[in-house]
Amino acid sequence: NGFLVLSALLANGFTAHHCAPQLRQAVAGEEKSDSVNFDMVIAGGFALSAAVYAVAMICGHETFGIACHGNILDDYRSSDGLASMAKCATLASVVCSFPGMFL
């Protein structure tokens, strides 16, 4: 599925930004247009990620106002099932992406 591949590439690009020079050399060929296309895709990926983070921050602030914590999930009741699932998803994301930084 193309969407899943795109999602995986965006996630890898966002968490492995320290490898960008090596990825650029591997993906971009000898032609200048390859480098320009690669740069445009990277810029688009970072812009999309920034937009998603901005929406999440705005929604959290609009929900809790000035009293919100740094981790917005801490503001929900511990009995909230969706917040608990979101905490588990965050944990899984950190645990699964951390080893990728050392590859």
Side-chain angles (χ1 to χ4, degrees):
N1 188 348
F3 178 74
L4 294 176
V5 171
L6 175 64
S7 299
L9 288 173
L10 287 174
N12 186 38
F14 194 73
T15 59
H17 62 276
H18 61 280
C19 297
Q22 293 91 348
L23 290 173
R24 188 171 197 265
Q25 288 177 351
V27 173
E30 297 292 325
E31 297 184 29
K32 178 119 174 110
S33 63
D34 292 337
S35 296
V36 171
N37 289 339
F38 181 80
D39 293 343
M40 289 176 54
V41 169
I42 295 300
F46 271 98
L48 178 63
S49 296
V52 169
Y53 278 105
V55 167
M57 287 188 299
I58 290 168
C59 289
H61 186 270
E62 291 299 314
T63 300
F64 298 106
I66 196 74
C68 62
H69 292 92
N71 182 356
I72 202 69
L73 294 174
D74 289 339
D75 290 326
Y76 289 95
R77 286 181 282 157
S78 59
S79 62
D80 189 337
L82 288 176
S84 296
M85 289 188 336
K87 287 179 184 181
C88 289
T90 302
L91 175 65
S93 172
V94 170
V95 168
C96 293
S97 65
F98 185 74
M101 290 188 267
F102 299 106
L103 296 177

